[in-house]
Amino acid sequence: MIDRRATLAGWAADPALAPVRSVIDVRIAAAQPVSVVLISLSRVDIVNAAYGRPTGDALIAAVGGAIAALARDVGATMAPMGGVEFALTLPSGVDAAVDTTKRLTELMAEPFTVGTIRALVGSRIGFAEALDGDDGARLLRRTREALTAAKASDGTTIRIAQPDGIAPLDELAVDLHHAIDRHEIDIRFQPQVSIPTGRIIGVEALARWDHGQHGEIGAEMLFAAADRADLGVALSDHIQQLVLARAARWGKTLGSLRVALNLTAADVTRPGFAALFLARVDASGFPRGRLTIEITETGLIEDLQAVAALLAELRGAGCRVAIDDFGTGYSSLAYLWRFPFDKIKLDRSFIAEMSDNAAITDIVRTITLLGQTLKLQVTAEGVETADQARMLGEMHCDHFQGFLFGRPMPVGDIPSFLVNDLARRMRRESVEAAETETDLASAST
């Protein structure tokens, strides 16, 4: 997984891109058309979890071979980027390049056979055509920005970088310098629900940028722009202060809710961060005991020993600690004994596949059982259907969050949401009580 703190300029100079970069430089120097396509595979983590890392690696190799064959067919140059990403340089203009991109999506839609299994992989694709004024580095950066936007989208799998299309990170980075002062950075809160009781037990705080020109920008693009502007730490500090200040002002209606707050890889590697963070929490007035710190595997791998010590200090100070997006990396299970966690958050990719994939269902069941064995709570992310919620309940999963129950919402909408939820539960309990009385009456006659 690429660390957001790595600059796009550094990425464009990656030696793995040398074959692609060579073609780009030659064609731009000769004023000839050239386009770049970046492909990032998804669902490989599911194959890793279901069948093991060697099978996942074999799947990546099989997909890479198919992409290489397509590249040869269209006269493109391909470069594996390591992990799940591939780069293509096409010696053609936009029409031919778009046609090639469509062929790539059709290729990704077919299952790949690895040994005795057939696996479907997903993909996100970023595409850019060389424009006047582009050099190789700028063309590659624009392509990466398009891929980042495709990954951040809920539905779009291909994103084409146009001159006036998606906002380049350079532009967003400049705007971000003023966004905090303009109060454009905001927080949405998504409910987390107890599966056994149906009650809202907490919320996760999610950062959003209400950009005047480009609309709502999610956390991934927001932090990518912050890293480009060298504002990653400042942005994280600002978001933490916003979340804590708003949660501390909640009245009795919301006084029992837990708040989940995400820390970045940059946060957990800062010297003295634990003391700084705890002082920030105490100054806000929000109780440490109602705060859950969430961290992804990207943050964990930065410095295992230092991060373990940090999380232990936060946990010892009264906060709870959760591993976010569990199961998406290669070492998830190892982290459970290396780090002091209270909660596992199952990645949404597992939940999305669960209803149609018996192997994924077994994995979710196994992780839930593992959580129970280790006395860790398990929260499922991305629950969108009643069938998914039912299956999780049967597995004795503890909590879920997702569009089925509630979308991320402004803090002002939470009280009315809770009132409506209470009314819903009271109606349900009333119906259940009436059904019980009817059953008892029938049984006595």
Side-chain angles (χ1 to χ4, degrees), residues 368-412:
T368 302
L369 180 60
L370 178 64
Q372 295 167 359
T373 302
L374 297 176
K375 295 181 172 54
L376 302 176
Q377 292 185 331
V378 179
T379 298
E381 295 186 286
V383 177
E384 298 184 357
T385 69
D387 188 50
Q388 292 169 346
R390 176 190 58 78
M391 295 174 71
L392 291 166
E394 292 172 352
M395 297 175 192
H396 303 292
C397 182
D398 297 292
H399 311 131
F400 79 83
Q401 67 184 83
F403 290 174
L404 174 65
F405 195 85
R407 293 175 177 269
M409 63 189 72
V411 66

Short mmCIF file of all heavy atoms in Angstrom, two decimals, residues 368-412:
data_model
loop_
_atom_site.label_atom_id
_atom_site.label_comp_id
_atom_site.label_asym_id
_atom_site.label_seq_id
_atom_site.Cartn_x
_atom_site.Cartn_y
_atom_site.Cartn_z
N THR A 368 -14.75 -13.16 13.28
CA THR A 368 -15.62 -12.85 14.41
C THR A 368 -15.35 -13.80 15.58
O THR A 368 -15.28 -13.37 16.74
CB THR A 368 -17.10 -12.97 13.97
OG1 THR A 368 -17.33 -12.08 12.87
CG2 THR A 368 -18.03 -12.59 15.11
N LEU A 369 -15.18 -15.09 15.29
CA LEU A 369 -14.86 -16.07 16.33
C LEU A 369 -13.50 -15.77 16.95
O LEU A 369 -13.32 -15.89 18.18
CB LEU A 369 -14.89 -17.47 15.75
CG LEU A 369 -14.58 -18.62 16.72
CD1 LEU A 369 -15.59 -18.63 17.86
CD2 LEU A 369 -14.59 -19.95 15.99
N LEU A 370 -12.55 -15.36 16.11
CA LEU A 370 -11.22 -15.00 16.62
C LEU A 370 -11.33 -13.82 17.58
O LEU A 370 -10.68 -13.81 18.64
CB LEU A 370 -10.31 -14.63 15.45
CG LEU A 370 -8.89 -14.18 15.80
CD1 LEU A 370 -8.12 -15.30 16.48
CD2 LEU A 370 -8.15 -13.71 14.54
N GLY A 371 -12.15 -12.83 17.22
CA GLY A 371 -12.35 -11.69 18.10
C GLY A 371 -12.92 -12.11 19.45
O GLY A 371 -12.47 -11.65 20.50
N GLN A 372 -13.89 -13.03 19.41
CA GLN A 372 -14.48 -13.51 20.66
C GLN A 372 -13.44 -14.24 21.51
O GLN A 372 -13.38 -14.07 22.73
CB GLN A 372 -15.65 -14.43 20.35
CG GLN A 372 -16.82 -13.72 19.68
CD GLN A 372 -17.82 -14.70 19.09
OE1 GLN A 372 -17.64 -15.92 19.17
NE2 GLN A 372 -18.88 -14.17 18.49
N THR A 373 -12.60 -15.04 20.84
CA THR A 373 -11.57 -15.80 21.56
C THR A 373 -10.56 -14.87 22.21
O THR A 373 -10.11 -15.10 23.34
CB THR A 373 -10.85 -16.76 20.59
OG1 THR A 373 -11.82 -17.63 19.99
CG2 THR A 373 -9.80 -17.58 21.32
N LEU A 374 -10.20 -13.80 21.50
CA LEU A 374 -9.21 -12.85 22.02
C LEU A 374 -9.85 -11.74 22.85
O LEU A 374 -9.16 -10.82 23.28
CB LEU A 374 -8.44 -12.22 20.84
CG LEU A 374 -7.61 -13.18 19.99
CD1 LEU A 374 -6.98 -12.44 18.82
CD2 LEU A 374 -6.54 -13.86 20.83
N LYS A 375 -11.17 -11.85 23.07
CA LYS A 375 -11.91 -10.84 23.83
C LYS A 375 -11.80 -9.45 23.19
O LYS A 375 -11.65 -8.44 23.87
CB LYS A 375 -11.46 -10.81 25.29
CG LYS A 375 -11.77 -12.10 26.05
CD LYS A 375 -11.33 -12.02 27.49
CE LYS A 375 -11.81 -13.24 28.28
NZ LYS A 375 -11.41 -14.54 27.67
N LEU A 376 -11.89 -9.43 21.85
CA LEU A 376 -11.90 -8.19 21.09
C LEU A 376 -13.27 -8.00 20.47
O LEU A 376 -13.85 -8.94 19.93
CB LEU A 376 -10.85 -8.24 19.97
CG LEU A 376 -9.40 -8.47 20.36
CD1 LEU A 376 -8.52 -8.59 19.12
CD2 LEU A 376 -8.89 -7.35 21.25
N GLN A 377 -13.81 -6.79 20.56
CA GLN A 377 -15.06 -6.51 19.88
C GLN A 377 -14.82 -6.47 18.37
O GLN A 377 -13.73 -6.12 17.91
CB GLN A 377 -15.63 -5.17 20.34
CG GLN A 377 -16.11 -5.17 21.78
CD GLN A 377 -16.77 -3.87 22.16
OE1 GLN A 377 -16.44 -2.81 21.63
NE2 GLN A 377 -17.71 -3.93 23.10
N VAL A 378 -15.84 -6.84 17.61
CA VAL A 378 -15.73 -6.84 16.15
C VAL A 378 -16.82 -5.95 15.57
O VAL A 378 -18.01 -6.11 15.89
CB VAL A 378 -15.86 -8.27 15.58
CG1 VAL A 378 -15.77 -8.24 14.05
CG2 VAL A 378 -14.78 -9.18 16.16
N THR A 379 -16.40 -4.99 14.76
CA THR A 379 -17.32 -4.09 14.07
C THR A 379 -17.21 -4.31 12.57
O THR A 379 -16.10 -4.33 12.02
CB THR A 379 -17.01 -2.62 14.39
OG1 THR A 379 -17.18 -2.38 15.78
CG2 THR A 379 -17.94 -1.69 13.61
N ALA A 380 -18.33 -4.48 11.89
CA ALA A 380 -18.35 -4.65 10.44
C ALA A 380 -18.65 -3.30 9.79
O ALA A 380 -19.61 -2.63 10.15
CB ALA A 380 -19.40 -5.67 10.04
N GLU A 381 -17.82 -2.92 8.83
CA GLU A 381 -18.01 -1.66 8.10
C GLU A 381 -18.71 -1.92 6.77
O GLU A 381 -18.60 -3.00 6.19
CB GLU A 381 -16.66 -1.00 7.83
CG GLU A 381 -15.92 -0.55 9.06
CD GLU A 381 -14.66 0.22 8.70
OE1 GLU A 381 -13.68 -0.40 8.27
OE2 GLU A 381 -14.67 1.45 8.85
N GLY A 382 -19.41 -0.91 6.27
CA GLY A 382 -20.00 -0.98 4.94
C GLY A 382 -21.22 -1.86 4.83
O GLY A 382 -21.49 -2.42 3.76
N VAL A 383 -21.99 -2.01 5.91
CA VAL A 383 -23.20 -2.84 5.87
C VAL A 383 -24.31 -2.05 5.16
O VAL A 383 -24.70 -0.97 5.62
CB VAL A 383 -23.64 -3.25 7.28
CG1 VAL A 383 -24.95 -4.04 7.23
CG2 VAL A 383 -22.54 -4.06 7.95
N GLU A 384 -24.81 -2.60 4.06
CA GLU A 384 -25.78 -1.86 3.25
C GLU A 384 -27.10 -2.59 3.07
O GLU A 384 -28.06 -2.00 2.58
CB GLU A 384 -25.18 -1.56 1.86
CG GLU A 384 -23.94 -0.67 1.92
CD GLU A 384 -23.41 -0.30 0.55
OE1 GLU A 384 -23.98 -0.79 -0.45
OE2 GLU A 384 -22.44 0.47 0.47
N THR A 385 -27.16 -3.87 3.42
CA THR A 385 -28.39 -4.63 3.21
C THR A 385 -28.81 -5.34 4.50
O THR A 385 -27.98 -5.65 5.36
CB THR A 385 -28.21 -5.69 2.10
OG1 THR A 385 -27.32 -6.72 2.57
CG2 THR A 385 -27.64 -5.08 0.83
N ALA A 386 -30.12 -5.61 4.59
CA ALA A 386 -30.64 -6.33 5.75
C ALA A 386 -30.07 -7.74 5.80
O ALA A 386 -29.88 -8.30 6.89
CB ALA A 386 -32.17 -6.36 5.68
N ASP A 387 -29.81 -8.34 4.63
CA ASP A 387 -29.25 -9.68 4.61
C ASP A 387 -27.86 -9.72 5.22
O ASP A 387 -27.51 -10.64 5.97
CB ASP A 387 -29.21 -10.20 3.16
CG ASP A 387 -28.82 -11.66 3.08
OD1 ASP A 387 -29.43 -12.48 3.80
OD2 ASP A 387 -27.90 -11.99 2.30
N GLN A 388 -27.05 -8.71 4.92
CA GLN A 388 -25.73 -8.63 5.53
C GLN A 388 -25.83 -8.49 7.04
O GLN A 388 -25.11 -9.17 7.79
CB GLN A 388 -24.95 -7.44 4.94
CG GLN A 388 -24.57 -7.60 3.49
CD GLN A 388 -24.05 -6.31 2.88
OE1 GLN A 388 -24.22 -5.22 3.45
NE2 GLN A 388 -23.44 -6.41 1.71
N ALA A 389 -26.74 -7.65 7.51
CA ALA A 389 -26.91 -7.46 8.96
C ALA A 389 -27.38 -8.75 9.61
O ALA A 389 -26.93 -9.10 10.73
CB ALA A 389 -27.91 -6.33 9.22
N ARG A 390 -28.28 -9.46 8.95
CA ARG A 390 -28.78 -10.73 9.50
C ARG A 390 -27.65 -11.74 9.65
O ARG A 390 -27.51 -12.40 10.70
CB ARG A 390 -29.87 -11.29 8.60
CG ARG A 390 -30.40 -12.66 9.05
CD ARG A 390 -31.30 -13.27 7.99
NE ARG A 390 -30.62 -13.42 6.71
CZ ARG A 390 -29.76 -14.41 6.44
NH1 ARG A 390 -29.46 -15.31 7.38
NH2 ARG A 390 -29.20 -14.50 5.25
N MET A 391 -26.82 -11.87 8.60
CA MET A 391 -25.72 -12.83 8.64
C MET A 391 -24.72 -12.48 9.74
O MET A 391 -24.23 -13.36 10.46
CB MET A 391 -25.02 -12.87 7.28
CG MET A 391 -25.89 -13.39 6.16
SD MET A 391 -25.10 -13.26 4.52
CE MET A 391 -23.83 -14.52 4.66
N LEU A 392 -24.43 -11.20 9.90
CA LEU A 392 -23.51 -10.77 10.95
C LEU A 392 -24.08 -11.06 12.33
O LEU A 392 -23.35 -11.45 13.25
CB LEU A 392 -23.20 -9.28 10.80
CG LEU A 392 -22.36 -8.90 9.58
CD1 LEU A 392 -22.41 -7.40 9.33
CD2 LEU A 392 -20.91 -9.35 9.75
N GLY A 393 -25.39 -10.87 12.48
CA GLY A 393 -26.03 -11.18 13.75
C GLY A 393 -25.93 -12.66 14.08
O GLY A 393 -25.67 -13.03 15.24
N GLU A 394 -26.12 -13.51 13.08
CA GLU A 394 -26.01 -14.94 13.31
C GLU A 394 -24.59 -15.36 13.68
O GLU A 394 -24.40 -16.37 14.36
CB GLU A 394 -26.47 -15.68 12.05
CG GLU A 394 -27.96 -15.54 11.76
CD GLU A 394 -28.35 -16.13 10.42
OE1 GLU A 394 -27.45 -16.50 9.65
OE2 GLU A 394 -29.57 -16.20 10.15
N MET A 395 -23.61 -14.57 13.25
CA MET A 395 -22.21 -14.85 13.60
C MET A 395 -21.82 -14.25 14.95
O MET A 395 -20.68 -14.41 15.38
CB MET A 395 -21.28 -14.27 12.52
CG MET A 395 -21.44 -14.87 11.16
SD MET A 395 -20.40 -14.00 9.96
CE MET A 395 -21.03 -14.63 8.42
N HIS A 396 -22.75 -13.52 15.58
CA HIS A 396 -22.50 -12.86 16.86
C HIS A 396 -21.44 -11.75 16.74
O HIS A 396 -20.68 -11.51 17.67
CB HIS A 396 -22.09 -13.86 17.93
CG HIS A 396 -23.09 -14.96 18.14
ND1 HIS A 396 -24.34 -14.73 18.69
CD2 HIS A 396 -23.05 -16.28 17.82
CE1 HIS A 396 -25.01 -15.87 18.72
NE2 HIS A 396 -24.25 -16.82 18.20
N CYS A 397 -21.43 -11.08 15.58
CA CYS A 397 -20.62 -9.87 15.42
C CYS A 397 -21.20 -8.81 16.36
O CYS A 397 -22.42 -8.75 16.58
CB CYS A 397 -20.66 -9.41 13.97
SG CYS A 397 -19.68 -7.96 13.59
N ASP A 398 -20.36 -7.97 16.93
CA ASP A 398 -20.81 -7.03 17.95
C ASP A 398 -21.53 -5.81 17.39
O ASP A 398 -22.62 -5.46 17.84
CB ASP A 398 -19.60 -6.57 18.79
CG ASP A 398 -18.95 -7.71 19.53
OD1 ASP A 398 -19.59 -8.25 20.45
OD2 ASP A 398 -17.81 -8.07 19.17
N HIS A 399 -20.89 -5.13 16.42
CA HIS A 399 -21.41 -3.84 15.94
C HIS A 399 -21.33 -3.79 14.42
O HIS A 399 -20.57 -4.53 13.79
CB HIS A 399 -20.60 -2.67 16.51
CG HIS A 399 -20.39 -2.74 17.99
ND1 HIS A 399 -19.16 -2.56 18.58
CD2 HIS A 399 -21.27 -2.96 19.01
CE1 HIS A 399 -19.27 -2.68 19.88
NE2 HIS A 399 -20.54 -2.92 20.18
N PHE A 400 -22.09 -2.86 13.85
CA PHE A 400 -21.91 -2.56 12.43
C PHE A 400 -22.14 -1.08 12.20
O PHE A 400 -22.76 -0.38 13.00
CB PHE A 400 -22.82 -3.42 11.55
CG PHE A 400 -24.26 -2.95 11.46
CD1 PHE A 400 -24.63 -1.96 10.58
CD2 PHE A 400 -25.24 -3.53 12.26
CE1 PHE A 400 -25.96 -1.53 10.48
CE2 PHE A 400 -26.56 -3.12 12.18
CZ PHE A 400 -26.92 -2.12 11.29
N GLN A 401 -21.62 -0.63 11.06
CA GLN A 401 -21.93 0.71 10.57
C GLN A 401 -22.04 0.62 9.06
O GLN A 401 -21.43 -0.23 8.42
CB GLN A 401 -20.88 1.73 10.98
CG GLN A 401 -19.50 1.57 10.38
CD GLN A 401 -18.50 2.57 10.93
OE1 GLN A 401 -17.94 2.37 11.99
NE2 GLN A 401 -18.27 3.64 10.19
N GLY A 402 -22.86 1.49 8.50
CA GLY A 402 -23.05 1.45 7.06
C GLY A 402 -24.34 2.15 6.66
O GLY A 402 -25.14 2.56 7.51
N PHE A 403 -24.55 2.25 5.35
CA PHE A 403 -25.70 2.98 4.84
C PHE A 403 -27.04 2.34 5.23
O PHE A 403 -28.07 3.00 5.19
CB PHE A 403 -25.63 3.09 3.32
CG PHE A 403 -24.53 4.01 2.83
CD1 PHE A 403 -24.24 4.11 1.48
CD2 PHE A 403 -23.78 4.76 3.73
CE1 PHE A 403 -23.23 4.97 1.03
CE2 PHE A 403 -22.78 5.60 3.29
CZ PHE A 403 -22.51 5.71 1.94
N LEU A 404 -27.04 1.04 5.57
CA LEU A 404 -28.28 0.40 5.98
C LEU A 404 -28.91 1.15 7.16
O LEU A 404 -30.13 1.32 7.22
CB LEU A 404 -28.02 -1.06 6.37
CG LEU A 404 -29.21 -1.82 6.97
CD1 LEU A 404 -30.32 -1.95 5.94
CD2 LEU A 404 -28.79 -3.19 7.49
N PHE A 405 -28.07 1.59 8.08
CA PHE A 405 -28.60 2.25 9.28
C PHE A 405 -28.48 3.76 9.20
O PHE A 405 -29.39 4.47 9.62
CB PHE A 405 -27.85 1.75 10.52
CG PHE A 405 -28.56 2.10 11.80
CD1 PHE A 405 -29.56 1.28 12.29
CD2 PHE A 405 -28.26 3.26 12.49
CE1 PHE A 405 -30.24 1.59 13.46
CE2 PHE A 405 -28.92 3.59 13.66
CZ PHE A 405 -29.92 2.76 14.14
N GLY A 406 -27.36 4.28 8.66
CA GLY A 406 -27.21 5.72 8.60
C GLY A 406 -25.97 6.14 7.86
O GLY A 406 -24.90 5.54 8.01
N ARG A 407 -26.11 7.16 7.04
CA ARG A 407 -24.97 7.73 6.33
C ARG A 407 -24.22 8.69 7.25
O ARG A 407 -24.76 9.15 8.25
CB ARG A 407 -25.45 8.47 5.08
CG ARG A 407 -26.04 7.56 4.01
CD ARG A 407 -26.61 8.34 2.85
NE ARG A 407 -27.11 7.45 1.80
CZ ARG A 407 -26.38 7.02 0.78
NH1 ARG A 407 -25.12 7.41 0.65
NH2 ARG A 407 -26.89 6.21 -0.11
N PRO A 408 -22.98 9.03 6.91
CA PRO A 408 -22.29 10.08 7.68
C PRO A 408 -23.11 11.35 7.65
O PRO A 408 -23.60 11.76 6.59
CB PRO A 408 -20.96 10.23 6.92
CG PRO A 408 -20.74 8.91 6.25
CD PRO A 408 -22.12 8.44 5.86
N MET A 409 -23.26 12.00 8.81
CA MET A 409 -24.16 13.15 8.91
C MET A 409 -23.51 14.27 9.72
O MET A 409 -22.62 14.01 10.55
CB MET A 409 -25.47 12.72 9.57
CG MET A 409 -25.32 12.25 11.00
SD MET A 409 -26.85 11.51 11.67
CE MET A 409 -26.88 9.96 10.75
N PRO A 410 -23.95 15.51 9.50
CA PRO A 410 -23.46 16.60 10.34
C PRO A 410 -23.85 16.39 11.79
O PRO A 410 -24.85 15.72 12.09
CB PRO A 410 -24.16 17.84 9.74
CG PRO A 410 -24.60 17.43 8.38
CD PRO A 410 -24.88 15.97 8.46
N VAL A 411 -23.09 16.99 12.69
CA VAL A 411 -23.33 16.78 14.11
C VAL A 411 -24.72 17.24 14.52
O VAL A 411 -25.36 16.64 15.40
CB VAL A 411 -22.24 17.50 14.94
CG1 VAL A 411 -22.34 19.02 14.78
CG2 VAL A 411 -22.34 17.12 16.41
N GLY A 412 -25.26 18.27 13.85
CA GLY A 412 -26.58 18.78 14.20
C GLY A 412 -27.71 17.82 13.90
O GLY A 412 -28.81 17.96 14.44
#
